[in-house]
Amino acid sequence: LQSSNQVKKVKTMSHIPVLLEACIEALDIQSDGTYLDGTFGCGGHAGAILAKLSPSGRLIGGDRDIEAIKYGQALAAFQAPNCQLIHASFAQMPFILKGQALDGTLQGIFLDLGVSSPQLDQAQRGFSFQEDGPLDMRMDQSQGPSAAQWLASAEEGQIANVLWQLGEERFSRRIAKAIVTEREQHPLQSTQDLVRLIKITVPKKDKHKHPATRTFQAIRMHINDELGELHAFLDAIPDLLAPGGRLAIITFHSLEDRVVKQWMRSQSQPPQVPAKLPVQAKSFTSPMKLLTRRPVVADVEEICHNPRSRSAKLRVIEKIHAGPKTSTRIP
């Protein structure tokens, strides 16, 4: 590192990677393989993957947060010639990899979904309801409207729908109405502006959850189009992985996990064919093999060391060779 400012940033962004050993085991890393970490973050998982690679192996790390990429570029471990860091969302990575003629060559892909620890811990990013900061919430601050800008112009019905659909907030309509009423007099500019409004609006408090939890989650997911990004990326997975390549994804809440679970199940089943066709579904092979019937979760020891791991779920799937199906059993 070249300066005290960079050292300070490294300390600020340090974190404990969630389910690290399980992820590395699940990816079954080949030393000469090509791997993608589409959510680089602080580089914890990416660093562990890179450590398993020989000089002929390759790691590509992507992140839509430019601060994460700058952080990685400042670390000696990621200055290796077989490591490439790219400022892009994981939904953009398939197009970038295709441009590098790497589609269909990846032995492993890893995603750690949701907001990262540094983003939560830095009040100026606006992700946390615990600290006061600008109401931003953009993972890529170089583009798109901030949360404050969206809340200043969105219709009441749209806000209510976002809070209900993405946050499962039962008081979504009441909160949306309060936001629209409040902004006519005082625009919501900071995280604590929104927190105070929610606290006086929500009539029933949950002992085990902050009243702003669901609203902040929903707005963040909307601002960053997190489910749209996930759907777009999953659609590209079959074209990205080489035969035998694996996809490992960590989710942190039910909406994302449901999308991943349903997609993996659909990919691990034989294609649907009309019953009257002479060739039946059992004659076809499933395009992918599900390796986790149930998600891998953190044990008690990891949760004690890293409380943010308590809601993490790891799911893994493997691309398999096409060919005649030898068994009717679905993995």
Side-chain angles (χ1 to χ4, degrees), residues 168-238:
E168 299 176 320
E169 172 55 68
R170 52 183 168 167
F171 299 111
S172 58
R173 293 186 179 184
R174 187 175 297 198
I175 294 172
K177 183 176 182 179
I179 288 172
V180 171
T181 301
E182 177 69 16
R183 75 188 186 191
E184 293 178 357
Q185 302 296 326
H186 305 286
L188 299 171
Q189 298 292 341
S190 74
T191 54
Q192 292 309 299
D193 287 343
L194 182 55
V195 168
R196 284 190 290 268
L197 182 65
I198 294 170
K199 283 183 175 180
I200 63 176
T201 303
V202 175
K204 190 174 181 180
K205 306 297 190 295
D206 188 334
K207 292 182 180 179
H208 306 291
K209 185 170 290 187
H210 192 286
T213 300
R214 294 183 177 91
T215 295
F216 268 66
Q217 171 189 299
I219 295 174
R220 186 206 82 218
M221 292 184 69
H222 174 74
I223 290 297
N224 296 287
D225 189 24
E226 293 180 33
L227 290 185
E229 291 268 315
L230 180 57
H231 280 292
F233 186 74
L234 291 175
D235 287 343
I237 290 298

Side-chain angles (χ1 to χ4, degrees), residues 16-25 45 110 250-251 296-299 302 306 309 312-314:
I16 305 173
V18 173
L19 295 171
L20 180 60
E21 292 184 9
C23 290
I24 298 304
E25 181 180 352
H45 294 94
F110 172 72
I250 294 178
T251 62
V296 179
V297 297
D299 58 23
E302 178 171 358
N306 184 12
S309 68
K313 293 181 178 180
L314 170 66

Side-chain angles (χ1 to χ4, degrees), residues 34-162:
T34 300
Y35 293 83
L36 168 66
D37 181 344
T39 50
F40 181 82
C42 291
H45 294 94
I49 295 172
L50 187 60
K52 293 273 188 179
L53 299 180
S54 67
S56 59
R58 184 176 183 184
L59 170 70
I60 302 167
D63 203 296
R64 66 198 300 185
D65 189 341
I66 188 61
E67 293 302 321
I69 297 302
K70 289 179 179 178
Y71 169 74
Q73 291 171 338
L75 297 178
F78 298 105
Q79 295 174 10
N82 61 341
C83 176
Q84 179 185 13
L85 300 183
I86 301 173
H87 178 217
S89 70
F90 55 75
Q92 296 171 318
M93 292 305 297
F95 302 99
I96 295 172
L97 295 175
K98 185 176 182 179
Q100 298 181 4
L102 289 174
D103 51 321
T105 68
L106 301 184
Q107 275 70 51
I109 298 173
F110 172 72
L111 293 183
D112 183 357
L113 300 179
V115 64
S116 69
S117 295
Q119 289 169 335
L120 280 173
D121 294 338
Q122 296 177 36
Q124 66 270 24
R125 299 301 301 271
F127 289 104
S128 175
F129 47 76
Q130 303 288 0
E131 303 290 339
D132 193 17
L135 195 56
D136 194 318
M137 297 194 193
R138 290 173 297 171
M139 293 181 180
D140 184 350
Q141 293 183 303
S142 68
Q143 57 183 314
S146 66
Q149 292 170 329
W150 179 70
L151 290 174
S153 60
E155 296 181 358
E156 181 179 327
Q158 183 187 13
I159 297 173
N161 287 339
V162 166

